[in-house]
Amino acid sequence: MNINVAIDGPAGAGKSTIAKRLAAELSYIYVDTGAMYRAMAYYFMKNGIDSTDKEKIDSVCKDIDITITHKNGEQVVLLNGENVNGLIRQEAVGNMASKVSVYPTVRTKLVDLQRQLAKKENVIMDGRDIGTVVLPDAQVKIYLTASSKTRAQRRFDELCAKGLECDIDVIEKDIIERDKQDMNREVSPLRQAEDAVLLDSSNLDIDGVLSEMKRIIDEKI
Ligand code: C5P
């Protein structure tokens, strides 16, 4: 049976950085489900579809093909055959993803794809509903969080390192808004699964989180 590790948590908690490193060390496949929601959001933005237009979103979902491949350990998201990895990381796409991920049509499509991937391989999958909905039988479930201040500071440092100008207060406001949206939606809200281990990374660096995660995984499998 394949091993599934589910990592959930709010925006900017460090899930993808950690999951990617863990996957490399354990030789698992890393699945970034947020990138799939971002790719769908990017499609809606590119086609001028408003996030409130549920009817339109429901009807165009069938025209969207999301395919996941991996290259040198990196997940590649193909949107109707086009590699969109470089187009989906902006804050605007993340915010749109948070808005459109409330729709069941969008979620069902991606949850099916996520389950197929987990059936085929040992995966470390990160997102918001992995332990609760996508892979309820995952052998390891971790809920990774950090204070909104810490998460905003990390995002700020990341953007500064890329030479982008930004305002830390605006980043924190966005993060709080995104948490609110993700935690309060009707379908698959972000919450800690009952059998997930809570890990607060506010006072840990990347290596600290990584060794805690490895300890948790070792204990479970
Ligand atoms: O993790 P990331 O910031 O890339 O996710 C973007 C948005 O996609 C989240 O704010 C959330 O609304 C949505 N998402 C989701 N379920 C997941 C992964 C992401 O609803 N499993």
Side-chain angles (χ1 to χ4, degrees), residues 45-138:
M45 288 166 89
K46 206 172 86 175
N47 289 281
I49 298 168
D50 196 275
S51 63
T52 58
D53 194 347
K54 180 179 184 300
E55 219 171 288
K56 182 81 185 162
I57 287 180
D58 281 349
S59 80
V60 299
C61 267
K62 62 174 181 337
D63 304 330
I64 307 176
D65 176 66
I66 306 277
T67 301
I68 300 298
T69 60
H70 286 85
K71 198 175 169 191
N72 304 328
E74 285 282 324
Q75 170 179 287
V76 177
V77 185
L78 301 175
L79 170 64
N80 292 338
E82 181 196 358
N83 177 347
V84 290
N85 273 24
L87 303 169
I88 57 175
R89 299 315 329 170
Q90 301 102 311
E91 301 297 296
V93 180
N95 291 335
M96 179 70 166
S98 181
K99 290 194 182 112
V100 298
S101 62
V102 301
Y103 299 124
T105 335
V106 171
R107 301 205 70 83
T108 308
K109 189 179 177 88
L110 297 181
V111 168
D112 286 348
L113 174 62
Q114 291 153 14
R115 287 186 178 143
Q116 280 169 32
L117 291 167
K119 220 187 232 175
K120 276 198 291 199
E121 321 252 10
N122 291 337
V123 295
I124 298 200
M125 188 177 285
D126 79 9
R128 303 292 188 289
D129 60 338
I130 311 306
T132 50
V133 175
V134 181
L135 305 174
D137 298 326

Side-chain angles (χ1 to χ4, degrees), residues 13 42 53 74-75 81 88 98 126 147 153-154 169 218 220:
Y42 176 73
D53 194 347
E74 285 282 324
Q75 170 179 287
I88 57 175
S98 181
D126 79 9
S147 69
Q153 184 68 51
R154 287 179 187 157
D169 294 330
D218 278 349
K220 301 269 175 189

